[in-house]
Structures are given as C-alpha cells and as structure tokens.
Amino acid sequence: MKISTLFQKNKTILSFEVFPPKIDSPIESVYNSLGEMAGLEPAFISVTYSAGGTGNSGDSTIELASYVKNNLKIETAAHLTCLNSSGADIAAILAQLSEHNIENILALRGDRNADTPAVNDFSYACDLVKFIKEKSPNFAVMGACCPEGHPESADLISDIKNLKKKVEAGAEVLISQMFFDNQKFYDFREMLRLADINIPVSAGIMPVTNKRQFERMIILSGASLPAKFTKTFARFENKPEALADAGVAYAIDQIVDLIGSGVSGIHLYTMNKPAVARKIMESVRSLL
C-alpha cells in the first residue's frame, strides 16, 4: 500500500520511526520492540538508514522494513540516503526493496561526513526523488522537511524554495524534523500553503526521556526550546524517572494540540522504546 493513500481519509494518522541497531549489536535486538509496537497499530513504521552514524549499511534497514511489512503486516517506509551513493548503488537498493515488497521510501540527502567523501551523483534529496521516480515509478516517495529551516539553508524562505523542488520532483508526503514549539510548525505549514505546497505534512514528535537524549539529539537538531520545555527539563534533569514522565507528558500535550488543529499526521520518533510509544498511543488513541 502506498502510504500517501493513508492521508486521503481526512483524519490524523499516527506513525512510528525506529532505527537499526548499532553495528556491533544483533538486528534481532530490535525485533521484540517492533513486535510490541505493532500491537499499537500505527498507520505505518519507518526504518532509518543508519543508527546515529554507527556505520550501519542499508542492509539492516531493508531487513527490518521487510520484517515490518511481511511479518508484522504493517505498512513500512525505508529511509534512503544518497550523498555517499552512486546511481548504481541506489538502483541496486531499489531492486532489493522491490524484492521485499517494500513500496514506500523516505528519500533523504543524508548527513555530511568528513570521513566519508560524497560520491556527487546526488547533491540534494530532490535529485534522489527524481531518480527514484524516473527509474522506479512504482515507489511512493516521501520527503523530509524542517519547520525551522534546514541548518545549512540561508533562511527559511530559501529552504522552502528547495523543498518545493523536492515536491515537484515527486515527493507525495512530507515528514517533519522534530520540533517542540507547535507554533513554529503552524507558521511553517502556512508558509507551505503560500508556496503552493499542498501535500500532507506529518509532524515529527520526539519525547525527551533522558538527559543524554536531550544533549545529543535536541541540541544537534537546532530546534527551538520553549520556556515551558526548558523549565521542565531544568526541574527534572537529575531525576531520571520524573524526567521520562515529564518528557512523555510534554509530547502528549503537543500531539493533542496538533490533532486539534487538524494536522495530517503525527510521526513519533520512538527511539526504539515501545513503552514510551504505548503511553502516548493510549493517551491519544481516542482523538485519532
């Protein structure tokens, strides 16, 4: 099933993101988490291309996406990056995805890495989207977006102009980077409308459940941190259990507000934690 069709039902859909294990961990370590998450009946589960820069290849992404689709019977999207890949590399991956009955791709440029020189067949995600649509048009392609602008863009206007190129190349759904101030997302959504970008946008939400996660993921993302968030973190940063509960509660508040404002979708960055996904799903299921 093409994920884009899920957004045609005029209701907010909730999806999950998971990542492959670190390169020195067995892939089976993720299976139990996926099994628990499947019981929560998300609209789909996306699988990242690598686990935080650990050097994981796309093989584990394909294996996990296949497990979600063919064993758990839940729709999936495989992340695919292109900066360090040739056209032949991407074509081979597309063939593998097809063999595993995977129909949906989240097309990404990928992070620059000084230790891994770019191949230069693809400079931007829009190049990858165009390549997929020309070489393998049966895939449904999604793209990423940043409500506060990509860190490498000169400004948000420039970023939206580049995002429009991605949509014109064939992206059918957008999934946003994490954010913690809903007004930033609403302002971004209005700017997309003014730019005549009218495809569904799923709001990326990450529950912050520990101090290390805050320091690594939140600061690196460049997302604005509202006073409500920073006050909560400051109060509970040295109380792990309380911080985890507060982080989940903050994410739930965000999601309730987003659903009330008619957002197309919620994409939950689960960090492979089914217990967190369960708390959130149980709190908002009746609203979906």
Side-chain angles (χ1 to χ4, degrees), residues 44-225:
F44 66 91
I45 296 176
S46 74
V47 183
T48 67
Y49 193 67
S50 65
T54 58
N56 226 30
S57 73
D59 291 344
S60 56
T61 298
I62 295 171
E63 182 176 340
L64 287 174
S66 178
Y67 180 75
V68 171
K69 170 86 176 198
N70 300 307
N71 294 73
L72 298 179
K73 307 302 182 183
I74 292 177
E75 197 49 68
T76 189
H79 292 215
L80 180 58
T81 66
C82 62
L83 191 63
N84 301 315
S85 299
S86 67
D89 294 334
I90 296 298
I93 293 172
L94 295 177
Q96 287 181 281
L97 291 170
S98 292
E99 289 173 4
H100 288 271
N101 197 32
I102 296 167
E103 303 174 79
N104 302 282
I105 295 172
L106 179 56
L108 306 162
R109 186 199 69 180
D111 296 330
R112 298 189 187 279
N113 188 332
D115 297 327
T116 307
V119 175
N120 295 323
D121 279 13
F122 305 94
S123 298
Y124 303 101
C126 63
D127 300 329
L128 176 59
V129 174
K130 183 179 179 181
F131 182 90
I132 296 170
K133 284 298 185 180
E134 289 179 350
K135 302 296 184 181
S136 302
N138 290 334
F139 283 105
V141 183
M142 299 186 290
C145 62
C146 302
E148 298 178 63
H150 192 281
E152 296 180 21
S153 289
D155 51 53
L156 187 53
I157 297 296
S158 300
D159 196 37
I160 289 176
K161 288 180 178 179
N162 290 327
L163 185 59
K164 190 171 178 66
K165 294 178 182 178
K166 193 185 303 185
V167 174
E168 290 172 344
E172 302 166 42
V173 174
L174 297 174
I175 296 179
S176 90
Q177 172 64 276
M178 70 185 81
F179 61 90
F180 301 93
D181 183 344
N182 283 8
Q183 190 58 50
K184 298 286 187 183
F185 180 82
Y186 299 142
D187 293 345
F188 176 70
R189 190 169 60 171
E190 178 62 15
M191 293 179 74
L192 294 184
R193 187 187 68 80
L194 293 173
D196 198 29
I197 297 175
N198 298 307
I199 63 176
V201 182
S202 195
I205 299 296
M206 174 179 281
V208 178
T209 58
N210 62 69
K211 185 175 180 178
R212 184 183 178 193
Q213 181 187 5
F214 173 84
E215 293 170 342
R216 283 193 62 193
M217 303 295 293
I218 309 311
I219 295 176
L220 286 174
S221 75
S224 299
L225 302 177

Side-chain angles (χ1 to χ4, degrees), residues 203-265:
I205 299 296
M206 174 179 281
V208 178
T209 58
N210 62 69
K211 185 175 180 178
R212 184 183 178 193
Q213 181 187 5
F214 173 84
E215 293 170 342
R216 283 193 62 193
M217 303 295 293
I218 309 311
I219 295 176
L220 286 174
S221 75
S224 299
L225 302 177
K228 179 181 177 182
F229 181 94
T230 55
K231 287 178 181 178
T232 299
F233 182 83
R235 182 177 180 87
F236 300 117
E237 62 176 318
N238 295 315
K239 300 177 180 178
E241 186 175 350
L243 179 60
D245 288 341
V248 170
Y250 190 92
I252 290 170
D253 283 347
Q254 276 192 277
I255 292 170
V256 170
D257 182 69
L258 288 162
I259 294 173
S261 298
V263 71
S264 298

